[in-house]
Amino acid sequence: MDIEEFRKAGYKAIDDICEYYSSIEEYPVVSQVEPGYLAKLVPDHPPLEGEKIEDITKDVQKLILPGALSNPGFNWACSPASTELEAIVMDWSAKLLGLDERFHTASGVGGGVFQTTASDASLLAAVVSRTRYTKLHPGVSMESLVLYGTTQTHSLGAKAALILGVHFRALEVTAADNFSLRGDTLSKALKEDRDKGLHPYLLIATVGTTSSGAVDNIEEIGKILEEHPSIWLHVDAAWAGIGFALPEYRGTGQLDAINKYAHSFCTNFHKWGLTSFDCSAFWVKDRTLLTDALDVTPEFLRTHHGDTGMVIDYRNWHLSLGRKFRSLKLWFVLRGFGVTGFQKHLRKGIDNAKAFAEKIEQSPMFELVTPTTLALVVFRLVPPQVSSGKGYRENTSTLEQLNKLNLKLHQRTTSQLFLTKTDLGGVICLRMSTGSLRTERRHVLAAFEILEKEANEIVEELATSPVI
């Protein structure tokens, strides 16, 4: 869809909304559909090729509107369409990403539910796993519980622990392992904490860390946790998990190990998945663990369908009561792009990252700090007079000066580029992300030219100051 087609579709959407409100009194007050109505009318998988927007909007009128479009979403009765489309789209997404059938809602055992962000998904995992652990170990005090992350885990891990009043331990990861958590590190931490009388109950592993795109060694971690079955493994793949839509990435991202060992998995379609904020997808292999921890149903929320277990009431699958109709926008995306179009978008971002990384490697001014991951390139400025010297990476004084130069480069390019900076084991570096839908190769190459120009100016200024 080009800009003009989008403009026409937008005008048509406004017309449809106006038509709905002008005739709203003609609709029944309560939806007349029966549980399971939508699954009988739509495919159980996303389309391979993209569909016309006109066909999708017609289906909104035909399939969604009878199931009540406007809703607060806390139970099936509010909007059968919202509940049932969420179950369908979460399974579409699980199939797109290659998640094991145990994560599928159609399995009747596991299932998926939309969250606002990956932070909320991790907090949800922390709450549910805490309930599970304390039921398995009665008498364990809350003060003795420990939530594990790593020194590269997003701040969501520490914040979840802060909210719940449990300990947070950041396990050390190093540049030698590309900042990936290894099994030996986990095993050592478990022994240390158990010897102290503490109770590790949740590990948040990461596929695609924020700073560098690192992937924790899920296979090694999973094998260790098999010996500690009461510890929950949550995999946070907030941005990189979308890459599982590409079969060629699934090995690098350790999808097989995730499917084998993880209790829950999260990725954000609002990051690399072409969907507007918020649209964070969270899956579990055992849905009863969600409802055991979160089911609070006062009389005013009770319905016949909910009490008999005929339907899902998603309010018991996450922390809030009311919820958005998030599945509708992802339904539009998956149908509009199709699997092929979705994959084409991802491969374009990866190819742009490779093109930028090649420029970095060819330049005497820069170096890659970590291997390029999908659409993320992590690099830093290292002037030739520094990189030509021996042992510059281990020299503390040189590192301090290089960090200052990279902070300066970041500051000088912020009016032209939107790069983020990060700290990897004391090394200040810059992050280039190329995953936007409208980012073209020319934009990436132009960004490199800006960086190179500013870097040259910084080096020229450096020539008049003391040598590093």
Side-chain angles (χ1 to χ4, degrees), residues 12-66:
K12 179 63 168 58
I14 293 296
D15 288 341
D16 289 343
I17 292 169
C18 292
E19 181 64 27
Y20 170 76
Y21 277 109
S22 67
S23 59
I24 195 168
E25 292 187 19
E26 299 174 13
Y27 291 92
V29 175
V30 178
S31 174
Q32 304 300 298
V33 301
E34 293 295 324
Y37 90 99
L38 193 56
K40 301 173 184 176
L41 303 174
V42 300
D44 65 356
H45 57 275
L48 184 61
E49 303 295 336
E51 302 175 10
K52 294 180 179 180
I53 188 67
E54 295 84 1
D55 294 336
I56 306 172
T57 54
K58 285 179 183 177
D59 279 349
V60 171
Q61 301 294 323
K62 178 183 176 182
L63 306 177
I64 305 302
L65 204 55

Side-chain angles (χ1 to χ4, degrees), residues 177-196:
D177 291 319
N178 288 324
F179 301 100
S180 171
L181 177 62
R182 304 299 302 271
D184 289 345
T185 302
L186 174 60
S187 183
K188 180 181 177 182
L190 286 169
K191 184 179 186 307
E192 289 174 351
D193 285 335
R194 290 283 172 83
D195 288 347
K196 294 176 183 177

Side-chain angles (χ1 to χ4, degrees), residues 87 89-95 97 99-100 102-105 110-115 121 232 234-235 242 262-269 280-286 290 317 330:
V89 170
M90 288 300 293
D91 278 3
W92 279 20
S93 302
K95 292 174 181 178
L97 302 179
L99 294 180
D100 188 87
R102 289 173 293 175
F103 284 116
H104 296 189
T105 306
V113 55
F114 284 114
Q115 308 294 318
W232 184 290
H234 173 63
V235 175
I242 296 298
H263 295 84
S264 56
F265 174 83
C266 170
T267 193
N268 291 340
F269 279 88
S280 182
F282 174 83
W283 288 271
V284 290
K285 284 179 180 172
D286 186 350
L290 294 175
W317 285 41
L330 185 52

Side-chain angles (χ1 to χ4, degrees), residues 170-455:
L171 307 182
E172 187 69 33
V173 292
T174 66
D177 291 319
N178 288 324
F179 301 100
S180 171
L181 177 62
R182 304 299 302 271
D184 289 345
T185 302
L186 174 60
S187 183
K188 180 181 177 182
L190 286 169
K191 184 179 186 307
E192 289 174 351
D193 285 335
R194 290 283 172 83
D195 288 347
K196 294 176 183 177
L198 297 174
H199 291 264
Y201 79 99
L202 167 65
L203 168 62
I204 298 177
T206 307
V207 171
T209 58
T210 301
S211 287
S212 69
V215 178
D216 288 334
N217 196 312
I218 309 297
E219 181 64 36
E220 290 183 4
I221 293 168
K223 286 182 178 178
I224 297 296
L225 292 183
E226 278 189 319
E227 302 170 10
H228 306 270
S230 55
I231 298 178
W232 184 290
L233 175 59
H234 173 63
V235 175
D236 170 37
W239 70 269
I242 296 298
F244 285 139
L246 302 176
E248 64 266 29
Y249 172 67
R250 292 174 180 174
T252 303
Q254 300 192 48
L255 180 61
D256 286 347
I258 292 170
N259 282 331
K260 182 177 181 180
Y261 298 112
H263 295 84
S264 56
F265 174 83
C266 170
T267 193
N268 291 340
F269 279 88
H270 61 243
K271 287 190 174 172
W272 201 17
L274 296 166
T275 309
S276 61
F277 187 84
D278 50 50
C279 193
S280 182
F282 174 83
W283 288 271
V284 290
K285 284 179 180 172
D286 186 350
R287 67 176 70 172
T288 62
L289 297 174
L290 294 175
T291 54
D292 285 351
L294 301 168
D295 187 355
V296 177
T297 306
E299 188 60 33
F300 59 81
L301 290 178
R302 291 196 176 281
T303 65
H304 167 70
H305 293 127
D307 287 347
T308 57
M310 298 172 63
V311 297
I312 293 173
D313 284 340
Y314 277 118
R315 73 175 184 279
N316 295 325
W317 285 41
H318 69 149
L319 300 179
S320 62
L321 176 63
R323 51 203 326 275
K324 301 176 184 178
F325 197 164
R326 295 183 181 93
S327 58
L328 187 61
K329 59 185 175 184
L330 185 52
W331 189 55
F332 267 78
V333 168
L334 294 179
R335 291 187 63 180
F337 282 86
V339 173
T340 300
F342 196 90
Q343 292 174 331
K344 181 180 179 182
H345 157 68
L346 299 181
R347 291 189 176 109
K348 174 186 170 186
I350 293 171
D351 288 343
N352 283 338
K354 289 179 179 177
F356 183 80
E358 287 174 3
K359 286 289 188 180
I360 293 294
E361 290 181 300
Q362 293 166 4
S363 171
M365 289 289 183
F366 301 101
E367 69 177 14
L368 294 177
V369 179
T370 63
T372 298
T373 302
L374 297 172
L376 178 65
V377 184
V378 184
F379 64 100
R380 67 171 176 165
L381 166 62
V382 181
Q385 59 263 51
V386 176
S387 59
S388 60
K390 293 182 178 180
Y392 72 92
R393 291 187 177 90
E394 292 77 30
N395 187 298
T396 302
S397 177
T398 301
L399 176 61
E400 290 177 358
Q401 292 299 319
L402 286 175
N403 285 347
K404 291 178 182 178
L405 292 181
N406 279 277
L407 289 172
K408 188 173 185 178
L409 178 61
H410 179 262
Q411 183 180 29
R412 287 174 62 152
T413 56
T414 49
S415 63
Q416 306 168 78
L417 304 174
F418 195 176
L419 298 179
T420 53
K421 62 182 184 298
T422 192
D423 182 330
L424 283 173
V427 176
I428 298 297
C429 38
L430 306 180
R431 300 170 66 256
M432 166 67 81
S433 176
T434 61
S436 174
L437 174 64
R438 302 187 68 80
T439 298
E440 303 293 342
R441 181 69 57 87
R442 59 187 174 87
H443 299 131
V444 172
L445 299 180
F448 176 79
E449 290 178 0
I450 292 170
L451 286 162
E452 190 173 48
K453 175 179 177 295
E454 295 293 342

